[in-house]
Amino acid sequence: MQTLSKNQQIIFDLIDKSPEPMKAYSILHNVQKKGIKAPLQVYRALDKLVEIGKIHKIESRNAFIACHNSSCQVSKATAFSICEICEKVTEISSASLSKYLTNFKDKDGMKYSKYNLEFFGLCKKCR
Amino acid sequence: MQTLSKNQQIIFDLIDKSPEPMKAYSILHNVQKKGIKAPLQVYRALDKLVEIGKIHKIESRNAFIACHNSSCQVSKATAFSICEICEKVTEISSASLSKYLTNFKDKDGMKYSKYNLEFFGLCKKCR
DNA sequence: TTACATAATGTTATATTATAACAATTTAAT
DNA sequence: ATTAAATTGTTATAATATAACATTATGTAA
């Protein structure tokens, strides 16, 4: 459990409190009062937080959410469900899914060091 | 099998011939001699081609490849392997994988209408 | 074949997302 | 204390993507 730097902590706290994925420039607007003024300061903190697994990037949305999967110290095996109406995103933690994908080998026998899976559909509320 | 419009055909042909995923502005540069001058013309064609399943977007790379999976008329179930060194991308067509993911239900019993999976690792050459 | 709706095009401007380059400061480990 | 590594601050700019509006082409049904 590594300690975060000032900017990293500010930005992680914001993302962690957010009920939905946050975009970089929305993060920027929200932390300007705390002295973080430039996009690069945000992106650097985001890069680091992703690297150490505290947050994940939702690639199809260019947005970031806090990791709520205690077992994933590093973002090497991620799966999300995304509601196409309300854009709610939930991290999926399914042992059988992660086992299946971690062990998946393609035709050439290639094994992978990392994966990211995004499911799309309608959440309970929106159905 | 629907016929493509002029711009769609030009852009599809380019992507289809490319051995690697192409980015939108690289596509733009390559079709300017054919009269496609503006980013929006490219993005509109890309949107349509994705919609009808002729190409796929590699979300983690903001790039596009032609679909080489004859069974996927529409891009509702996609899986790719991505080499982290040479950036080669291959579409995975595994019946067992697609069956597993298509039938996957999360804890709430939510079933999904679509998914996209990206595996990362090293390809044969780069290993 | 005319009318009508739908899809595609062309164009300019602008919004959004992300990184380059350089200097200074802080932190952590010897 | 010294030094390397990480982090910060700052300005500028690159890369990715969409808004808004006018026009033209295509398909379909009376």
Side-chain angles (χ1 to χ4, degrees):
Chain A
M1 185 65 187
Q2 105 174 240
T3 63
L4 302 179
S5 74
K6 193 187 91 211
N7 289 0
Q8 290 160 15
Q9 190 68 58
I10 289 168
I11 287 171
F12 174 74
D13 287 344
L14 179 67
I15 297 171
D16 192 39
K17 273 181 301 196
S18 172
E20 55 207 25
M22 293 198 75
K23 300 186 144 237
Y25 278 72
S26 160
I27 292 168
L28 178 58
H29 294 137
N30 277 279
V31 296
Q32 277 177 330
K33 50 197 158 202
K34 301 212 170 169
I36 296 175
K37 292 174 197 158
L40 198 43
Q41 295 176 290
V42 172
Y43 280 103
R44 285 196 285 223
L46 290 173
D47 285 351
K48 189 67 187 187
L49 290 167
V50 166
E51 186 192 319
I52 63 177
K54 297 283 288 180
I55 65 173
H56 302 301
K57 181 173 186 181
I58 308 303
E59 293 287 355
S60 65
R61 299 300 187 258
N62 297 320
F64 300 85
I65 64 169
C67 176
H68 291 304
N69 185 346
S70 59
S71 69
C72 104
Q73 296 305 324
V74 180
S75 304
K76 293 224 155 131
T78 50
F80 306 96
S81 80
I82 302 171
C83 175
E84 290 186 295
I85 292 181
C86 74
E87 295 291 327
K88 179 179 164 61
V89 173
T90 308
E91 186 168 1
I92 296 172
S93 59
S94 157
S96 73
L97 177 64
S98 63
K99 189 176 171 192
Y100 184 91
L101 293 177
T102 300
N103 293 321
F104 181 79
K105 290 191 184 102
D106 72 9
K107 283 171 183 163
D108 301 333
M110 180 168 168
K111 204 165 170 293
Y112 303 101
S113 57
K114 197 171 138 189
Y115 68 78
N116 179 54
L117 170 61
E118 296 181 4
F119 280 110
F120 305 90
L122 302 185
C123 74
K124 269 187 175 172
K125 275 189 202 159
C126 294
R127 227 168 331 167
Chain B
M1 185 64 187
Q2 106 176 239
T3 64
L4 301 179
S5 75
K6 194 189 89 212
N7 288 359
Q8 289 161 15
Q9 190 68 58
I10 290 168
I11 287 171
F12 174 74
D13 287 345
L14 179 67
I15 296 172
D16 193 38
K17 274 182 301 198
S18 172
E20 56 209 24
M22 292 196 75
K23 300 185 145 240
Y25 278 72
S26 159
I27 292 168
L28 177 58
H29 294 137
N30 276 279
V31 296
Q32 276 177 330
K33 50 199 157 201
K34 302 213 167 165
I36 296 175
K37 292 176 197 156
L40 197 43
Q41 295 175 291
V42 172
Y43 280 104
R44 284 195 285 224
L46 289 173
D47 285 351
K48 190 68 186 183
L49 291 167
V50 166
E51 185 191 321
I52 64 179
K54 299 282 290 179
I55 65 173
H56 301 301
K57 182 173 186 183
I58 309 302
E59 293 287 355
S60 65
R61 299 298 187 260
N62 297 320
F64 300 85
I65 65 171
C67 177
H68 291 304
N69 184 346
S70 59
S71 69
C72 103
Q73 296 307 322
V74 181
S75 304
K76 293 225 154 130
T78 49
F80 306 97
S81 80
I82 302 171
C83 175
E84 290 187 293
I85 291 181
C86 73
E87 293 291 327
K88 180 179 165 59
V89 172
T90 308
E91 186 168 1
I92 295 172
S93 60
S94 158
S96 72
L97 177 64
S98 64
K99 190 175 171 193
Y100 185 91
L101 293 177
T102 300
N103 292 322
F104 181 79
K105 291 192 183 99
D106 72 10
K107 283 171 183 163
D108 302 331
M110 179 168 169
K111 205 165 168 293
Y112 304 102
S113 57
K114 198 171 136 192
Y115 68 78
N116 178 55
L117 171 59
E118 297 181 2
F119 280 111
F120 305 90
L122 302 185
C123 73
K124 269 187 175 171
K125 275 189 203 159
C126 294
R127 225 167 331 167

